[in-house]
Amino acid sequence: MIDNSQIETEMLYSPSLRLDWNYDVYLPSGYNEKSGKYPVLYLLHGLGGNHRNLLERFDSQQMLDDLVKQTGQKLIVVFVDGFNSFYINGQNGGMQMEDAVMQDLVPLIERNYHIVQERSQHAIGGISMGGYGAARLALKYADYWSTAVLISPAVWQHLPLDNKFRKTLHAWQSDKEAWSEQFYEQVFPISYLKKDQDVSFYVESTAKDTVVPIADVASFVNKLTQTQVETKFVQDNIDDHNWTYWAKVAPQAYQWVIEQFKNARK
C-alpha cells in the first residue's frame, strides 16, 4: 500500500508508433492490489508539450490529492505523451497516435492497474490540442469513454488561409498539401457526433483566448447541445491561451470529472 499519492513514470513499446513511448500514472494514496478498482482519467497535453506538462507546469498531483480528500473519490490518472499529433492517425506515414492510445496504451493500463470496467468510470480530457484529441476520442470511442473534459480546446471551425498554423502544423497533411482541409474536416471531432450520444462534456475556455477564438469553442458546444449531448460550458473572461489560465481552471475541471465518477456509482 502507498501512504501518499505517487506519480509513476513508465514506458511501453508502441507497435502503432514503432517506438518506446513514455507516460505517467497518478496513483492515489492507499492504492494497492487489495484496495479495489478505480475510475480512470486520461489527460492529453497541448501543442509542443509532453506527458510531464500537466505535472510540471502546474501541480496536478496536489490538485488531485486535494480533490480526493475533499470528495472521498479516488481515481487513477494517466498522462499521455501525444507529441504534436493532435491525437489522430496521420496520413502518408504520419504518426498513428489514435491507434497508439486506443490499441496500445489503454489495454496496457487495463492490464497493469486496477481499473473499473464500467464505461461510466472512464474519462478523457485535455488542454488545447489535448482538448481536441479528448473530444474526438470520446465521441469516436463512446463505447469506452463516458466523460470528456476540454480546457481551451483547439476546435477551430475554419482557419483563415494565412493563419500560421496552416504552415506549421502537419497533423492534417496529405500527399499534396501541408494542410488538407478535406482531411481536417473528415477527422474533426464533430464528424463522430451522433444524436443522443451518451457522453458527458465539460468545456471551459476564455473569451480572451487569442489562439482559439471563443466563437469556435461556442460553435463546437452548440453542435454538442443541438445533438442532445449533455454539456457544461464555462466561459471565462480572464487571461488567455496560456498556463496562467490553465492553472486557474484545472482544479474545477478535475473536480467535475471526479463528481461524474462519484455520481455514476450511486
Side-chain angles (χ1 to χ4, degrees), residues 50-89:
N50 58 49
H51 60 109
R52 298 292 302 172
N53 270 181
L54 277 68
L55 293 163
E56 296 176 346
R57 299 300 296 265
F58 54 73
D59 195 347
S60 281
Q61 182 176 9
Q62 187 61 59
M63 292 176 184
L64 292 164
D65 285 350
D66 292 344
L67 288 167
V68 167
K69 184 176 181 180
Q70 174 186 328
T71 64
Q73 175 63 64
K74 295 185 178 182
L75 73 162
I76 291 171
V77 182
V78 182
F79 298 86
V80 182
D81 197 331
F83 305 93
N84 289 336
S85 66
F86 276 78
Y87 305 92
I88 68 171
N89 286 338

mmCIF file of all heavy atoms in Angstrom, residues 50-89:
data_model
loop_
_atom_site.group_PDB
_atom_site.id
_atom_site.type_symbol
_atom_site.label_atom_id
_atom_site.label_comp_id
_atom_site.label_asym_id
_atom_site.label_seq_id
_atom_site.Cartn_x
_atom_site.Cartn_y
_atom_site.Cartn_z
ATOM 1 N N ASN A 50 4.478 17.588 -23.579
ATOM 2 C CA ASN A 50 4.747 16.163 -23.412
ATOM 3 C C ASN A 50 3.976 15.655 -22.195
ATOM 4 O O ASN A 50 3.218 16.408 -21.576
ATOM 5 C CB ASN A 50 6.258 15.895 -23.277
ATOM 6 C CG ASN A 50 6.877 16.641 -22.102
ATOM 7 O OD1 ASN A 50 6.373 16.609 -20.988
ATOM 8 N ND2 ASN A 50 7.982 17.323 -22.352
ATOM 9 N N HIS A 51 4.197 14.397 -21.845
ATOM 10 C CA HIS A 51 3.425 13.765 -20.779
ATOM 11 C C HIS A 51 3.685 14.378 -19.406
ATOM 12 O O HIS A 51 2.911 14.140 -18.467
ATOM 13 C CB HIS A 51 3.727 12.257 -20.731
ATOM 14 C CG HIS A 51 5.181 11.955 -20.463
ATOM 15 N ND1 HIS A 51 5.639 11.441 -19.294
ATOM 16 C CD2 HIS A 51 6.280 12.103 -21.257
ATOM 17 C CE1 HIS A 51 6.949 11.274 -19.348
ATOM 18 N NE2 HIS A 51 7.366 11.674 -20.536
ATOM 19 N N ARG A 52 4.726 15.181 -19.259
ATOM 20 C CA ARG A 52 5.040 15.796 -17.970
ATOM 21 C C ARG A 52 4.401 17.180 -17.788
ATOM 22 O O ARG A 52 4.393 17.704 -16.674
ATOM 23 C CB ARG A 52 6.559 15.943 -17.830
ATOM 24 C CG ARG A 52 7.334 14.642 -17.834
ATOM 25 C CD ARG A 52 7.063 13.809 -16.608
ATOM 26 N NE ARG A 52 7.391 14.529 -15.378
ATOM 27 C CZ ARG A 52 7.108 14.082 -14.152
ATOM 28 N NH1 ARG A 52 6.475 12.930 -14.003
ATOM 29 N NH2 ARG A 52 7.441 14.775 -13.086
ATOM 30 N N ASN A 53 3.872 17.748 -18.856
ATOM 31 C CA ASN A 53 3.391 19.137 -18.803
ATOM 32 C C ASN A 53 2.412 19.413 -17.677
ATOM 33 O O ASN A 53 2.528 20.392 -16.938
ATOM 34 C CB ASN A 53 2.727 19.523 -20.119
ATOM 35 C CG ASN A 53 3.697 20.121 -21.118
ATOM 36 O OD1 ASN A 53 3.307 20.500 -22.200
ATOM 37 N ND2 ASN A 53 4.974 20.227 -20.774
ATOM 38 N N LEU A 54 1.392 18.570 -17.561
ATOM 39 C CA LEU A 54 0.325 18.835 -16.600
ATOM 40 C C LEU A 54 0.729 18.492 -15.172
ATOM 41 O O LEU A 54 -0.018 18.734 -14.231
ATOM 42 C CB LEU A 54 -0.958 18.086 -16.979
ATOM 43 C CG LEU A 54 -1.831 18.788 -18.042
ATOM 44 C CD1 LEU A 54 -1.143 18.815 -19.407
ATOM 45 C CD2 LEU A 54 -3.186 18.125 -18.168
ATOM 46 N N LEU A 55 1.939 17.971 -15.034
ATOM 47 C CA LEU A 55 2.500 17.728 -13.711
ATOM 48 C C LEU A 55 3.517 18.795 -13.324
ATOM 49 O O LEU A 55 3.684 19.097 -12.145
ATOM 50 C CB LEU A 55 3.174 16.349 -13.672
ATOM 51 C CG LEU A 55 2.227 15.155 -13.792
ATOM 52 C CD1 LEU A 55 3.001 13.898 -14.156
ATOM 53 C CD2 LEU A 55 1.445 14.962 -12.501
ATOM 54 N N GLU A 56 4.173 19.367 -14.325
ATOM 55 C CA GLU A 56 5.259 20.307 -14.052
ATOM 56 C C GLU A 56 4.872 21.767 -14.249
ATOM 57 O O GLU A 56 5.347 22.646 -13.530
ATOM 58 C CB GLU A 56 6.470 19.959 -14.921
ATOM 59 C CG GLU A 56 7.059 18.598 -14.594
ATOM 60 C CD GLU A 56 8.194 18.201 -15.507
ATOM 61 O OE1 GLU A 56 8.372 18.847 -16.571
ATOM 62 O OE2 GLU A 56 8.912 17.231 -15.168
ATOM 63 N N ARG A 57 4.014 22.052 -15.241
ATOM 64 C CA ARG A 57 3.623 23.438 -15.475
ATOM 65 C C ARG A 57 2.629 23.928 -14.429
ATOM 66 O O ARG A 57 2.518 25.117 -14.154
ATOM 67 C CB ARG A 57 3.053 23.608 -16.886
ATOM 68 C CG ARG A 57 4.043 23.262 -17.994
ATOM 69 C CD ARG A 57 5.291 24.126 -17.952
ATOM 70 N NE ARG A 57 5.009 25.524 -18.183
ATOM 71 C CZ ARG A 57 5.082 26.142 -19.357
ATOM 72 N NH1 ARG A 57 5.440 25.460 -20.425
ATOM 73 N NH2 ARG A 57 4.823 27.427 -19.467
ATOM 74 N N PHE A 58 1.853 22.997 -13.890
ATOM 75 C CA PHE A 58 1.120 23.225 -12.649
ATOM 76 C C PHE A 58 1.039 21.886 -11.929
ATOM 77 O O PHE A 58 1.285 20.832 -12.528
ATOM 78 C CB PHE A 58 -0.256 23.854 -12.871
ATOM 79 C CG PHE A 58 -1.178 23.147 -13.821
ATOM 80 C CD1 PHE A 58 -1.790 21.956 -13.473
ATOM 81 C CD2 PHE A 58 -1.452 23.689 -15.061
ATOM 82 C CE1 PHE A 58 -2.658 21.306 -14.331
ATOM 83 C CE2 PHE A 58 -2.322 23.051 -15.935
ATOM 84 C CZ PHE A 58 -2.916 21.853 -15.570
ATOM 85 N N ASP A 59 0.717 21.917 -10.645
ATOM 86 C CA ASP A 59 0.856 20.730 -9.800
ATOM 87 C C ASP A 59 -0.423 19.896 -9.803
ATOM 88 O O ASP A 59 -1.219 19.951 -8.873
ATOM 89 C CB ASP A 59 1.229 21.143 -8.381
ATOM 90 C CG ASP A 59 1.737 19.972 -7.546
ATOM 91 O OD1 ASP A 59 1.569 18.816 -7.982
ATOM 92 O OD2 ASP A 59 2.303 20.212 -6.457
ATOM 93 N N SER A 60 -0.610 19.098 -10.857
ATOM 94 C CA SER A 60 -1.797 18.253 -10.929
ATOM 95 C C SER A 60 -1.846 17.248 -9.788
ATOM 96 O O SER A 60 -2.935 16.907 -9.307
ATOM 97 C CB SER A 60 -1.842 17.512 -12.268
ATOM 98 O OG SER A 60 -2.298 18.351 -13.300
ATOM 99 N N GLN A 61 -0.700 16.773 -9.354
ATOM 100 C CA GLN A 61 -0.704 15.796 -8.263
ATOM 101 C C GLN A 61 -1.331 16.393 -7.012
ATOM 102 O O GLN A 61 -2.196 15.767 -6.380
ATOM 103 C CB GLN A 61 0.715 15.311 -7.961
ATOM 104 C CG GLN A 61 0.743 14.243 -6.863
ATOM 105 C CD GLN A 61 2.133 13.677 -6.625
ATOM 106 O OE1 GLN A 61 3.129 14.185 -7.169
ATOM 107 N NE2 GLN A 61 2.223 12.636 -5.816
ATOM 108 N N GLN A 62 -0.941 17.605 -6.650
ATOM 109 C CA GLN A 62 -1.502 18.240 -5.465
ATOM 110 C C GLN A 62 -2.977 18.567 -5.660
ATOM 111 O O GLN A 62 -3.793 18.405 -4.744
ATOM 112 C CB GLN A 62 -0.725 19.515 -5.126
ATOM 113 C CG GLN A 62 -1.144 20.144 -3.793
ATOM 114 C CD GLN A 62 -0.907 19.219 -2.620
ATOM 115 O OE1 GLN A 62 0.220 18.799 -2.377
ATOM 116 N NE2 GLN A 62 -1.960 18.885 -1.881
ATOM 117 N N MET A 63 -3.326 19.032 -6.852
ATOM 118 C CA MET A 63 -4.733 19.317 -7.142
ATOM 119 C C MET A 63 -5.581 18.060 -6.951
ATOM 120 O O MET A 63 -6.656 18.095 -6.338
ATOM 121 C CB MET A 63 -4.893 19.827 -8.581
ATOM 122 C CG MET A 63 -4.297 21.192 -8.846
ATOM 123 S SD MET A 63 -4.453 21.605 -10.625
ATOM 124 C CE MET A 63 -3.577 23.164 -10.687
ATOM 125 N N LEU A 64 -5.106 16.951 -7.492
ATOM 126 C CA LEU A 64 -5.841 15.694 -7.374
ATOM 127 C C LEU A 64 -5.884 15.207 -5.934
ATOM 128 O O LEU A 64 -6.933 14.733 -5.462
ATOM 129 C CB LEU A 64 -5.210 14.642 -8.284
ATOM 130 C CG LEU A 64 -5.353 14.911 -9.785
ATOM 131 C CD1 LEU A 64 -4.379 14.044 -10.586
ATOM 132 C CD2 LEU A 64 -6.780 14.672 -10.251
ATOM 133 N N ASP A 65 -4.770 15.332 -5.217
ATOM 134 C CA ASP A 65 -4.754 14.945 -3.805
ATOM 135 C C ASP A 65 -5.820 15.718 -3.021
ATOM 136 O O ASP A 65 -6.558 15.141 -2.210
ATOM 137 C CB ASP A 65 -3.385 15.232 -3.189
ATOM 138 C CG ASP A 65 -2.316 14.227 -3.603
ATOM 139 O OD1 ASP A 65 -2.671 13.198 -4.211
ATOM 140 O OD2 ASP A 65 -1.132 14.487 -3.323
ATOM 141 N N ASP A 66 -5.882 17.024 -3.258
ATOM 142 C CA ASP A 66 -6.841 17.863 -2.531
ATOM 143 C C ASP A 66 -8.278 17.454 -2.847
ATOM 144 O O ASP A 66 -9.143 17.398 -1.958
ATOM 145 C CB ASP A 66 -6.641 19.340 -2.890
ATOM 146 C CG ASP A 66 -5.325 19.900 -2.368
ATOM 147 O OD1 ASP A 66 -4.713 19.264 -1.485
ATOM 148 O OD2 ASP A 66 -4.905 20.970 -2.852
ATOM 149 N N LEU A 67 -8.549 17.153 -4.121
ATOM 150 C CA LEU A 67 -9.908 16.789 -4.526
ATOM 151 C C LEU A 67 -10.295 15.405 -4.030
ATOM 152 O O LEU A 67 -11.451 15.170 -3.656
ATOM 153 C CB LEU A 67 -10.031 16.864 -6.044
ATOM 154 C CG LEU A 67 -10.038 18.286 -6.606
ATOM 155 C CD1 LEU A 67 -9.832 18.271 -8.112
ATOM 156 C CD2 LEU A 67 -11.348 18.991 -6.252
ATOM 157 N N VAL A 68 -9.346 14.469 -4.016
ATOM 158 C CA VAL A 68 -9.613 13.140 -3.463
ATOM 159 C C VAL A 68 -9.972 13.253 -1.992
ATOM 160 O O VAL A 68 -10.936 12.624 -1.510
ATOM 161 C CB VAL A 68 -8.399 12.215 -3.674
ATOM 162 C CG1 VAL A 68 -8.529 10.952 -2.829
ATOM 163 C CG2 VAL A 68 -8.262 11.844 -5.147
ATOM 164 N N LYS A 69 -9.240 14.062 -1.275
ATOM 165 C CA LYS A 69 -9.523 14.266 0.149
ATOM 166 C C LYS A 69 -10.867 14.948 0.352
ATOM 167 O O LYS A 69 -11.651 14.588 1.234
ATOM 168 C CB LYS A 69 -8.407 15.102 0.778
ATOM 169 C CG LYS A 69 -8.561 15.300 2.276
ATOM 170 C CD LYS A 69 -7.379 16.059 2.855
ATOM 171 C CE LYS A 69 -7.533 16.232 4.363
ATOM 172 N NZ LYS A 69 -6.374 16.991 4.942
ATOM 173 N N GLN A 70 -11.157 15.925 -0.489
ATOM 174 C CA GLN A 70 -12.392 16.700 -0.369
ATOM 175 C C GLN A 70 -13.626 15.872 -0.716
ATOM 176 O O GLN A 70 -14.670 15.966 -0.049
ATOM 177 C CB GLN A 70 -12.314 17.917 -1.289
ATOM 178 C CG GLN A 70 -13.575 18.753 -1.376
ATOM 179 C CD GLN A 70 -13.453 19.844 -2.423
ATOM 180 O OE1 GLN A 70 -12.360 20.378 -2.664
ATOM 181 N NE2 GLN A 70 -14.559 20.192 -3.056
ATOM 182 N N THR A 71 -13.532 15.058 -1.757
ATOM 183 C CA THR A 71 -14.701 14.333 -2.265
ATOM 184 C C THR A 71 -14.798 12.896 -1.764
ATOM 185 O O THR A 71 -15.873 12.292 -1.826
ATOM 186 C CB THR A 71 -14.681 14.294 -3.797
ATOM 187 O OG1 THR A 71 -13.529 13.554 -4.241
ATOM 188 C CG2 THR A 71 -14.640 15.712 -4.369
ATOM 189 N N GLY A 72 -13.669 12.356 -1.332
ATOM 190 C CA GLY A 72 -13.649 10.950 -0.937
ATOM 191 C C GLY A 72 -13.631 9.996 -2.116
ATOM 192 O O GLY A 72 -13.733 8.783 -1.938
ATOM 193 N N GLN A 73 -13.471 10.536 -3.326
ATOM 194 C CA GLN A 73 -13.463 9.712 -4.543
ATOM 195 C C GLN A 73 -12.038 9.586 -5.076
ATOM 196 O O GLN A 73 -11.451 10.554 -5.529
ATOM 197 C CB GLN A 73 -14.352 10.332 -5.617
ATOM 198 C CG GLN A 73 -14.322 9.612 -6.960
ATOM 199 C CD GLN A 73 -14.843 8.189 -6.879
ATOM 200 O OE1 GLN A 73 -16.001 7.969 -6.574
ATOM 201 N NE2 GLN A 73 -13.971 7.218 -7.141
ATOM 202 N N LYS A 74 -11.492 8.384 -5.025
ATOM 203 C CA LYS A 74 -10.153 8.149 -5.544
ATOM 204 C C LYS A 74 -10.226 7.784 -7.027
ATOM 205 O O LYS A 74 -11.238 7.296 -7.520
ATOM 206 C CB LYS A 74 -9.463 7.043 -4.757
ATOM 207 C CG LYS A 74 -9.217 7.423 -3.296
ATOM 208 C CD LYS A 74 -8.430 6.360 -2.562
ATOM 209 C CE LYS A 74 -8.170 6.795 -1.124
ATOM 210 N NZ LYS A 74 -7.349 5.804 -0.373
ATOM 211 N N LEU A 75 -9.130 8.030 -7.721
ATOM 212 C CA LEU A 75 -9.065 7.720 -9.148
ATOM 213 C C LEU A 75 -7.620 7.537 -9.564
ATOM 214 O O LEU A 75 -6.689 7.944 -8.866
ATOM 215 C CB LEU A 75 -9.705 8.819 -9.986
ATOM 216 C CG LEU A 75 -8.959 10.164 -10.149
ATOM 217 C CD1 LEU A 75 -9.523 10.942 -11.332
ATOM 218 C CD2 LEU A 75 -8.990 11.000 -8.886
ATOM 219 N N ILE A 76 -7.437 6.917 -10.719
ATOM 220 C CA ILE A 76 -6.141 6.795 -11.370
ATOM 221 C C ILE A 76 -6.137 7.760 -12.550
ATOM 222 O O ILE A 76 -7.145 7.911 -13.240
ATOM 223 C CB ILE A 76 -5.906 5.351 -11.839
ATOM 224 C CG1 ILE A 76 -5.716 4.432 -10.625
ATOM 225 C CG2 ILE A 76 -4.700 5.249 -12.782
ATOM 226 C CD1 ILE A 76 -5.683 2.955 -10.958
ATOM 227 N N VAL A 77 -5.009 8.438 -12.760
ATOM 228 C CA VAL A 77 -4.906 9.388 -13.864
ATOM 229 C C VAL A 77 -3.689 9.039 -14.708
ATOM 230 O O VAL A 77 -2.589 8.847 -14.178
ATOM 231 C CB VAL A 77 -4.798 10.844 -13.358
ATOM 232 C CG1 VAL A 77 -4.752 11.812 -14.539
ATOM 233 C CG2 VAL A 77 -5.968 11.176 -12.436
ATOM 234 N N VAL A 78 -3.883 8.944 -16.022
ATOM 235 C CA VAL A 78 -2.814 8.608 -16.956
ATOM 236 C C VAL A 78 -2.486 9.847 -17.778
ATOM 237 O O VAL A 78 -3.372 10.440 -18.403
ATOM 238 C CB VAL A 78 -3.229 7.456 -17.890
ATOM 239 C CG1 VAL A 78 -2.084 7.087 -18.830
ATOM 240 C CG2 VAL A 78 -3.679 6.243 -17.075
ATOM 241 N N PHE A 79 -1.231 10.246 -17.777
ATOM 242 C CA PHE A 79 -0.765 11.416 -18.528
ATOM 243 C C PHE A 79 -0.069 10.916 -19.800
ATOM 244 O O PHE A 79 0.959 10.249 -19.741
ATOM 245 C CB PHE A 79 0.186 12.251 -17.685
ATOM 246 C CG PHE A 79 -0.453 12.819 -16.442
ATOM 247 C CD1 PHE A 79 -0.512 12.075 -15.265
ATOM 248 C CD2 PHE A 79 -1.002 14.093 -16.440
ATOM 249 C CE1 PHE A 79 -1.099 12.591 -14.109
ATOM 250 C CE2 PHE A 79 -1.594 14.626 -15.301
ATOM 251 C CZ PHE A 79 -1.648 13.865 -14.143
ATOM 252 N N VAL A 80 -0.652 11.242 -20.931
ATOM 253 C CA VAL A 80 -0.244 10.691 -22.220
ATOM 254 C C VAL A 80 0.724 11.640 -22.930
ATOM 255 O O VAL A 80 0.571 12.855 -22.859
ATOM 256 C CB VAL A 80 -1.486 10.465 -23.108
ATOM 257 C CG1 VAL A 80 -1.097 9.850 -24.453
ATOM 258 C CG2 VAL A 80 -2.510 9.582 -22.382
ATOM 259 N N ASP A 81 1.687 11.085 -23.647
ATOM 260 C CA ASP A 81 2.575 11.881 -24.495
ATOM 261 C C ASP A 81 2.061 11.804 -25.929
ATOM 262 O O ASP A 81 2.118 10.755 -26.568
ATOM 263 C CB ASP A 81 4.010 11.371 -24.425
ATOM 264 C CG ASP A 81 5.012 12.393 -24.933
ATOM 265 O OD1 ASP A 81 4.633 13.200 -25.811
ATOM 266 O OD2 ASP A 81 6.166 12.404 -24.459
ATOM 267 N N GLY A 82 1.540 12.928 -26.432
ATOM 268 C CA GLY A 82 0.946 12.933 -27.763
ATOM 269 C C GLY A 82 1.779 13.610 -28.823
ATOM 270 O O GLY A 82 1.319 13.789 -29.958
ATOM 271 N N PHE A 83 3.026 14.023 -28.455
ATOM 272 C CA PHE A 83 3.884 14.756 -29.394
ATOM 273 C C PHE A 83 3.067 15.919 -29.978
ATOM 274 O O PHE A 83 2.400 16.607 -29.222
ATOM 275 C CB PHE A 83 4.441 13.813 -30.456
ATOM 276 C CG PHE A 83 5.166 12.634 -29.866
ATOM 277 C CD1 PHE A 83 4.506 11.428 -29.631
ATOM 278 C CD2 PHE A 83 6.502 12.722 -29.516
ATOM 279 C CE1 PHE A 83 5.171 10.342 -29.069
ATOM 280 C CE2 PHE A 83 7.177 11.644 -28.950
ATOM 281 C CZ PHE A 83 6.501 10.464 -28.732
ATOM 282 N N ASN A 84 3.104 16.154 -31.279
ATOM 283 C CA ASN A 84 2.285 17.207 -31.900
ATOM 284 C C ASN A 84 1.247 16.605 -32.846
ATOM 285 O O ASN A 84 0.913 17.177 -33.880
ATOM 286 C CB ASN A 84 3.169 18.208 -32.653
ATOM 287 C CG ASN A 84 3.981 19.072 -31.712
ATOM 288 O OD1 ASN A 84 3.613 19.275 -30.560
ATOM 289 N ND2 ASN A 84 5.097 19.582 -32.186
ATOM 290 N N SER A 85 0.720 15.457 -32.460
ATOM 291 C CA SER A 85 -0.092 14.631 -33.348
ATOM 292 C C SER A 85 -1.557 15.042 -33.436
ATOM 293 O O SER A 85 -2.268 14.577 -34.329
ATOM 294 C CB SER A 85 -0.051 13.185 -32.855
ATOM 295 O OG SER A 85 -0.701 13.089 -31.587
ATOM 296 N N PHE A 86 -2.035 15.839 -32.496
ATOM 297 C CA PHE A 86 -3.465 16.105 -32.318
ATOM 298 C C PHE A 86 -4.234 14.805 -32.062
ATOM 299 O O PHE A 86 -5.445 14.763 -32.197
ATOM 300 C CB PHE A 86 -4.056 16.893 -33.491
ATOM 301 C CG PHE A 86 -3.843 18.383 -33.340
ATOM 302 C CD1 PHE A 86 -2.601 18.956 -33.628
ATOM 303 C CD2 PHE A 86 -4.859 19.215 -32.899
ATOM 304 C CE1 PHE A 86 -2.379 20.314 -33.471
ATOM 305 C CE2 PHE A 86 -4.646 20.580 -32.738
ATOM 306 C CZ PHE A 86 -3.412 21.127 -33.019
ATOM 307 N N TYR A 87 -3.505 13.775 -31.694
ATOM 308 C CA TYR A 87 -4.084 12.507 -31.257
ATOM 309 C C TYR A 87 -4.930 11.841 -32.340
ATOM 310 O O TYR A 87 -5.909 11.161 -32.056
ATOM 311 C CB TYR A 87 -4.879 12.700 -29.952
ATOM 312 C CG TYR A 87 -4.025 13.330 -28.879
ATOM 313 C CD1 TYR A 87 -3.991 14.723 -28.705
ATOM 314 C CD2 TYR A 87 -3.202 12.560 -28.071
ATOM 315 C CE1 TYR A 87 -3.174 15.319 -27.751
ATOM 316 C CE2 TYR A 87 -2.386 13.141 -27.103
ATOM 317 C CZ TYR A 87 -2.377 14.522 -26.956
ATOM 318 O OH TYR A 87 -1.545 15.101 -26.010
ATOM 319 N N ILE A 88 -4.515 12.023 -33.589
ATOM 320 C CA ILE A 88 -5.185 11.377 -34.718
ATOM 321 C C ILE A 88 -4.205 10.400 -35.375
ATOM 322 O O ILE A 88 -3.019 10.366 -35.036
ATOM 323 C CB ILE A 88 -5.678 12.403 -35.767
ATOM 324 C CG1 ILE A 88 -4.484 13.066 -36.471
ATOM 325 C CG2 ILE A 88 -6.593 13.443 -35.134
ATOM 326 C CD1 ILE A 88 -4.877 13.929 -37.667
ATOM 327 N N ASN A 89 -4.703 9.615 -36.311
ATOM 328 C CA ASN A 89 -3.840 8.812 -37.178
ATOM 329 C C ASN A 89 -3.531 9.639 -38.415
ATOM 330 O O ASN A 89 -4.425 9.915 -39.226
ATOM 331 C CB ASN A 89 -4.537 7.514 -37.590
ATOM 332 C CG ASN A 89 -4.588 6.505 -36.461
ATOM 333 O OD1 ASN A 89 -3.804 6.563 -35.515
ATOM 334 N ND2 ASN A 89 -5.515 5.569 -36.557
#
